[in-house]
Amino acid sequence: MPLLLRRHSVLPGFNLALGCTLLYLGLIVLIPLSAAFIKTASLSWPAFWETVTSPRVVASYRLSFGASALAAAINAVFGLIVAWVLVRYTFPGKKVIDALVDLPFALPTAVAGVALTAIYAGNGWIGQILEPLGIKVAFTPLGVLVALTFIGLPFVVRTVQPVLEDVEREAEEAAASLGASRLQTFLRVILPAILPALTTGFALAFARALGEYGSVIFIAGNVPMVSEITPLLIITKLEQYDYVGATAIAVVMLVTSFVLLLAINLLQRWAGKRGAKGQ
Amino acid sequence: MSESIALPLPAQHSRIAGATSESPLVKSLLIGTALIFLAVFLFLPVLAVFYEAFKKGAAVYFAALVEPDAWSAIKLTLLIAAIAVPLNLVFGVAAAWAIAKFDFRGKQLLITLIDLPFSVSPVMAGLIYVLIFGAQGWLGPWLSEHDVKVIFALPGIVLATVFITFPFVARELIPLMQAQGNEEEEAAIVLGASGWRTFWHVTLPNIKWGLLYGVILCNARAMGEFGAVSVVSGHIRGLTNTMPLHVEILYNEYNFAAAFAVASLLALLALVTLVLKSIVEWKTRESVSDLSPEPVQK
């Protein structure tokens, strides 16, 4: 154990490695991010408050937070099913499908945006089925939901999958031999074991969806007060050279991201404890 | 007594089997749901990109790719990845070495800070550099005095890309190097190897697949980043337009065939990334199973 302590380590390069890390982190991330806060500080508190609570901005929060939460919830349900199917069953093409789950990570968001728009527009593959039913997806808030669901898909699958693989079959067998039905076993034995991972996946998908820009702007229609997401509003303000206004809204989003990041860290600690208890 | 326990076992056993797995109906229902969900949300969009790209024929497709503006967008995207990925590679290895091999105060905070760019909106990543280097920014007046362009030029695009792809390599290496421990490096040092020699001959072979994995993901994101780059690029055709931005411009001009042609290259990049990623994952598993018999032999 003492070997792990920094002062006892025989390995070289600590100062160099940590120095490089801190310098790079400071220059690329910390100083630029602090610029956003300093810029906002040039606003008086009432002016700041007025900027970040103006009706158009509030409408964009409602859309961004609402659609992100809904998309993350959809992903929590279907992501769990996908993870379950990939871990527990065998079927042809499973390996390919497993690899393709990461597609939203790899596919540039602009490409996802134009592709989803092409599919869900009135003359698109899915759009022409839905439109006669009175459901318009592209260029409505529903389109935002579709894009955010696409973006968040891998998060739930990839956080639940390894935990599900580690769930001990013995516990399920014990529950079954004690007379539990399959549904009871799932709800009382498996679900509690994967709940921390599922919640973490939900939070990660939510956080990602909140900041998403590229895939949404093509499909959203971007009508102020209706289908305008907060990141787009920041860009709109920037293009009008309203740097202070853009930064004020950005700081609200940034603080939200920090809170989410903290929550995710706590969730992962919870998941870690659960895992340790299981062992 | 023993007989009375043994007797109900076969019946019990089949009931347990029924209760530890789902009925065939539920099973096919779940598989069906998963496949339909993935088909609608994942496979259809990729298919749509290639379908739209080739809708007007291969001649239109290739014409869109060799067009000078598209060509310069491709070159710019490659150049940006060629700068941003090595920078984050060096940083990732340094950060992982400090974090995984040593214990120090504030380590957890440092890991959280490295993850920060993942939870910040890409739009923010562009905005912060505009605040520093833009015309109204902190360094704006000084830069324009010395005729250096950062925003709406290559350096700004590189900075935004570096910010966005910052955590990929470090994040892949930290858990890997933590799991491998320090014993092998310590043995090398004690036997008289220098620090660099130890790194090249002991650490690097152990982490090569994880390193490659991080680089592949970092590269995919660097080439495909849209939001952050869109803020700092200025969208100057043939000069500061990356491939994703070029897709946007063509799309907004209703030049769909050309937009999807360029998009298809990026989709192809994504598919290649997934294939490489699967190969690396397979190699990692292989090298892990190569390693595991050793403790048993001892």
Side-chain angles (χ1 to χ4, degrees):
Chain A
M1 272 303 116
L3 272 176
L4 283 173
L5 287 171
R6 149 88 190 100
R7 54 184 173 278
H8 291 293
S9 183
V10 295
L11 296 183
F14 176 75
N15 290 332
L16 179 68
L18 190 68
C20 285
T21 305
L22 291 179
L23 181 72
Y24 194 68
L25 184 73
L27 285 178
I28 300 285
V29 178
L30 298 182
I31 296 175
L33 275 182
S34 63
F37 287 96
I38 293 167
K39 185 83 183 175
T40 313
S42 70
L43 269 179
S44 69
W45 178 252
F48 171 78
W49 190 248
E50 201 184 321
T51 308
V52 300
T53 58
S54 74
R56 189 173 164 187
V57 179
V58 171
S60 83
Y61 296 146
R62 201 172 296 143
L63 177 66
S64 271
F65 281 86
S68 300
L70 206 55
I74 292 172
N75 277 323
V77 174
F78 286 96
L80 176 58
I81 295 176
V82 171
W84 180 272
V85 163
L86 288 177
V87 171
R88 295 288 171 111
Y89 305 144
T90 48
F91 51 91
K94 185 174 130 170
K95 275 197 178 149
V96 177
I97 287 170
D98 196 355
L100 276 175
V101 165
D102 283 329
L103 189 74
F105 283 155
L107 193 69
T109 52
V111 177
V114 295
L116 288 171
T117 313
I119 295 171
Y120 287 94
N123 55 359
W125 292 338
I126 297 181
Q128 59 187 359
I129 304 171
L130 293 178
E131 211 119 298
L133 305 171
I135 306 168
K136 275 184 82 111
V137 178
F139 318 122
T140 69
L142 207 56
V144 178
L145 182 65
V146 167
L148 295 182
T149 307
F150 173 85
I151 285 303
L153 177 74
F155 288 96
V156 175
V157 179
R158 291 302 184 230
T159 43
V160 171
Q161 208 176 3
V163 181
L164 202 55
E165 270 165 9
D166 285 346
V167 169
E168 283 173 18
R169 287 300 185 92
E170 285 84 350
E172 284 172 56
E173 283 162 13
S177 67
L178 290 170
S181 73
R182 188 61 188 150
L183 187 65
Q184 278 176 321
T185 308
F186 176 76
L187 291 177
R188 300 280 184 86
V189 177
I190 303 172
L191 196 59
I194 60 172
L195 195 62
L198 192 60
T199 324
T200 308
F202 173 88
L204 286 170
F206 179 70
R208 173 67 206 268
L210 213 51
E212 180 54 24
Y213 173 73
S215 61
V216 177
I217 53 156
F218 293 100
I219 200 170
N222 310 323
V223 182
M225 306 293 295
V226 178
S227 56
E228 190 178 48
I229 54 165
T230 312
L232 175 67
L233 201 57
I234 296 173
I235 294 219
T236 310
K237 293 223 179 242
L238 264 182
E239 280 168 356
Q240 295 161 349
Y241 298 101
D242 180 6
Y243 285 26
V244 184
T247 315
I249 302 169
V251 162
V252 173
M253 296 299 275
L254 197 59
V255 171
T256 317
S257 314
F258 287 159
V259 172
L260 275 171
L261 189 65
L262 195 71
I264 290 166
N265 274 350
L266 290 175
L267 273 171
Q268 268 162 348
R269 213 164 286 173
W270 176 38
K273 259 187 205 154
R274 273 290 172 95
K277 225 192 275 174
Q279 284 164 6
Chain B
M1 189 70 181
S2 65
E3 270 173 18
S4 68
I5 295 173
L7 265 176
L9 256 180
Q12 193 87 349
H13 190 261
S14 68
R15 249 179 60 205
I16 292 176
T20 49
S21 63
E22 295 73 34
S23 67
L25 178 72
V26 174
K27 191 174 150 176
S28 33
L29 217 64
L30 286 176
I31 294 181
T33 311
L35 290 184
I36 290 171
F37 181 73
L38 292 178
V40 168
F41 277 99
L42 291 189
F43 313 143
L44 228 47
V46 179
L47 220 60
V49 170
F50 290 101
Y51 173 78
E52 296 282 341
F54 283 103
K55 206 157 85 175
K56 289 189 178 160
V60 176
Y61 177 83
F62 288 109
L65 295 185
V66 297
E67 187 247 345
D69 286 345
W71 190 232
S72 79
I74 294 170
K75 279 193 289 193
L76 181 65
T77 300
L78 293 175
L79 175 65
I80 287 162
I83 301 171
V85 175
L87 276 177
N88 282 335
L89 169 70
V90 171
F91 157 76
V93 171
W97 182 266
I99 289 172
K101 300 292 179 192
F102 301 93
D103 245 8
F104 54 92
R105 214 174 272 235
K107 187 151 115 175
Q108 209 53 46
L109 178 70
L110 186 60
I111 295 176
T112 307
L113 288 177
I114 289 173
D115 269 352
L116 208 54
F118 273 159
S119 46
V120 169
S121 171
V123 171
M124 275 296 300
L127 171 72
I128 53 179
Y129 290 110
V130 172
L131 292 180
I132 292 180
F133 298 108
Q136 300 179 18
W138 289 350
L139 301 177
W142 186 86
L143 286 172
S144 62
E145 225 168 74
H146 291 79
D147 208 24
V148 182
K149 267 187 94 78
V150 175
I151 299 303
F152 305 149
L154 181 70
I157 304 175
V158 169
L159 276 173
T161 307
V162 166
F163 180 96
I164 288 291
T165 56
F166 186 79
F168 281 98
V169 176
R171 217 191 190 183
E172 219 42 70
L173 288 185
I174 291 168
L176 181 68
M177 283 166 75
Q178 275 174 335
Q180 281 169 346
N182 294 357
E183 284 86 358
E184 290 184 37
E185 281 85 1
E186 279 160 4
I189 297 285
V190 170
L191 291 172
S194 72
W196 284 115
R197 213 178 135 92
T198 306
F199 176 77
W200 283 110
H201 292 280
V202 179
T203 311
L204 202 58
N206 277 339
I207 61 168
K208 61 175 185 235
W209 293 115
L211 195 66
L212 194 59
Y213 193 95
V215 166
I216 291 167
L217 293 183
C218 183
N219 179 62
R221 189 68 200 266
M223 288 189 173
E225 179 49 31
F226 177 76
V229 170
S230 154
V231 176
V232 293
S233 120
H235 305 262
I236 308 163
R237 267 192 183 215
L239 273 179
T240 63
N241 237 4
T242 62
M243 283 165 79
L245 296 178
H246 196 58
V247 171
E248 185 200 19
I249 288 190
L250 292 170
Y251 189 86
N252 288 342
E253 287 171 346
Y254 301 102
N255 190 351
F256 294 137
F260 280 101
V262 180
S264 75
L265 286 187
L266 290 167
L268 206 61
L269 167 77
L271 293 176
V272 170
T273 301
L274 290 185
V275 170
L276 287 176
K277 195 169 153 291
S278 301
I279 293 173
V280 170
E281 270 167 351
W282 177 62
K283 283 278 177 194
T284 319
R285 224 167 290 155
E286 206 178 44
S287 68
V288 168
S289 59
D290 276 354
L291 281 171
S292 57
E294 278 181 12
V296 182
Q297 280 168 2
K298 272 186 226 163

